[in-house]
């Protein structure tokens, strides 16, 4: 199965431009699953809830999702992408999974990072795994990485591939996701953005790129640089994520000592 990340550099507030640029790139990627960054259509650094509400969209009728579905149809692919989702007067930092037949699933970011707490409503969707034919796919978003329970839950629910749209500013995540892959024996695809946003005085945000595809054994199959927009693809065997043995006598799920864990 061919999978890919698309590392982009969104311009804040330019939804149509950001979406159309991403769609042009999607049309040239030969992959069955492509992951885009968090908030790929809007940019990241909102100044207020009101501003976020103005740029957000309904998943079923929104511009970004509709164009992604068209791209998925044209490329016979599935796409995971981060959007600002409007629902019931709230805005969620969400990730959509779309395929040629439309929206397959939506995940609303559970763990909001720093000032996101002032903008977005806390995610209220369960961690779910979707069967897209060749693989079972789960979604998490950026800062969710620091809560190992997220990746663990997706793995326990049967994910072969964890897709992680991101807008990383701290340097730890790409290395940490190697561990998330090893400890759960799953593939992980992190799609981060590059560029700088200076929308709040004294709080410039520089995004670190370094999008990557990691195997269940912890091999970094592809990793992007930190400055440019770029796509990275890999040919993977999703079934490699289904053998949870680390040694013939160690099964990472069955060996868990839940009797002594604090849950
Ligand atoms: C982040 O969660 N966007 C750092």
């Amino acid at each position: 199965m061919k999978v890919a990340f698309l590392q982009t550099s969104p311009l804040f507030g330019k939804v149509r431009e950001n979406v159309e640029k991403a769609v042009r790139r999607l049309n040239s990627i030969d992959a069955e699953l492509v992951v885009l960054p968090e908030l790929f259509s809007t940019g990241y650094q909102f100044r207020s809830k009101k501003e976020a509400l103005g740029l957000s969209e309904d998943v079923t009728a929104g511009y970004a999702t509709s164009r992604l579905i068209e791209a998925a149809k044209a490329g016979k692919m599935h796409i995971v992408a981060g959007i600002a989702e409007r629902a019931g007067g709230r805005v969620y930092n969400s990730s959509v999974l779309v395929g040629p037949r439309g929206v397959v699933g939506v995940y609303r970011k559970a763990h909001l990072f720093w000032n996101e707490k002032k903008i977005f409503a806390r995610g209220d969707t369960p961690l779910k795994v979707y069967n897209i034919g060749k693989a079972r796919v789960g979604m998490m978003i950026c800062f969710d990485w620091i809560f190992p329970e997220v990746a663990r839950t997706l793995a326990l629910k049967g994910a072969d591939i964890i897709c992680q749209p991101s807008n990383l500013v701290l340097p730890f995540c790409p290395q940490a996701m190697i561990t998330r892959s090893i400890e759960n024996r799953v593939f992980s695809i992190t799609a981060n953005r590059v560029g700088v946003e200076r929308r709040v005085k004294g709080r410039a945000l520089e995004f670190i790129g370094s999008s990557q595809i990691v195997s269940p054994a912890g091999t970094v199959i592809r990793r992007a640089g930190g400055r440019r927009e770029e796509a990275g693809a890999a040919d993977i065997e999703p079934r490699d994520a289904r053998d949870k043995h680390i040694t013939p006598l160690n099964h990472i799920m069955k060996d868990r000592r839940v009797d002594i864990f604090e849950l």
Side-chain angles (χ1 to χ4, degrees):
M1 178 181 185
K2 281 190 180 161
V3 299
F5 59 74
L6 178 56
Q7 175 166 295
T8 63
S9 182
L11 298 172
F12 187 89
K14 306 278 185 199
V15 172
R16 292 198 174 229
E17 275 179 47
N18 295 331
V19 171
E20 289 313 312
K21 196 170 179 193
V23 166
R24 279 196 298 279
R25 298 293 305 274
L26 284 166
N27 288 339
S28 69
I29 295 177
D30 176 21
E32 294 152 276
L33 173 67
V34 184
V35 185
L36 270 67
E38 177 182 9
L39 298 167
F40 92 98
S41 54
T42 56
Y44 181 80
Q45 203 176 25
F46 296 98
R47 289 185 180 132
S48 66
K49 256 186 206 169
K50 193 166 164 236
E51 185 178 57
L53 201 57
L55 288 166
S56 62
E57 62 173 69
D58 184 280
V59 164
T60 46
Y63 183 76
T65 316
S66 310
R67 292 291 288 133
L68 291 176
I69 293 168
E70 284 167 23
K73 263 185 204 153
K76 296 188 176 59
M77 57 173 59
H78 283 80
I79 301 166
V80 172
I83 63 160
E85 181 202 357
R86 188 186 320 145
R90 295 203 174 107
V91 189
Y92 295 94
N93 182 339
S94 295
S95 174
V96 290
L97 167 63
V98 305
R101 281 183 278 174
V103 176
V104 178
V106 181
Y107 165 68
R108 295 172 173 165
K109 189 175 185 178
H111 301 98
L112 298 170
F113 179 69
W114 201 349
N115 289 317
E116 289 173 29
K117 289 191 173 191
K118 300 177 188 165
I119 305 291
F120 299 105
R122 198 166 77 158
D124 56 359
T125 47
L127 293 162
K128 251 185 106 171
V129 170
Y130 301 90
N131 192 333
I132 60 165
K134 286 193 183 172
R136 302 185 297 222
V137 167
M139 293 184 277
M140 58 189 249
I141 300 177
C142 203
F143 190 54
D144 281 330
W145 72 266
I146 211 163
F147 303 88
E149 295 88 347
V150 176
R152 171 55 47 90
T153 300
L154 290 170
L156 284 168
K157 289 190 168 181
D160 303 316
I161 307 172
I162 292 179
C163 301
Q164 186 198 21
S166 294
N167 272 192
L168 297 164
V169 287
L170 302 177
F172 318 110
C173 175
Q175 291 304 101
M177 284 308 289
I178 298 174
T179 303
R180 294 290 98 79
S181 272
I182 294 170
E183 68 197 5
N184 294 295
R185 292 200 69 81
V186 291
F187 290 93
S188 60
I189 306 175
T190 301
N192 191 23
R193 61 164 291 179
V194 289
V196 183
E197 285 189 7
R198 288 191 184 83
R199 304 199 66 256
V200 177
K201 205 164 178 246
R203 275 205 227 130
L205 291 178
E206 185 162 0
F207 300 95
I208 65 165
S210 311
S211 300
Q212 64 184 20
I213 302 170
V214 182
S215 80
T219 304
V220 180
I221 307 170
R222 284 275 176 284
R223 184 179 276 170
R227 302 208 169 265
R228 283 192 310 114
E229 296 190 311
E230 59 185 288
D235 229 323
I236 65 161
E237 175 48 71
R239 286 183 179 278
D240 289 350
R242 296 188 191 175
D243 179 2
K244 300 299 186 188
H245 286 93
I246 289 272
T247 74
L249 296 184
N250 292 104
H251 186 284
I252 53 155
M253 298 309 181
K254 293 184 185 154
D255 278 7
R256 286 176 307 127
R257 289 290 307 274
V258 289
D259 55 324
I260 59 167
F261 291 170
E262 195 80 42
L263 293 171

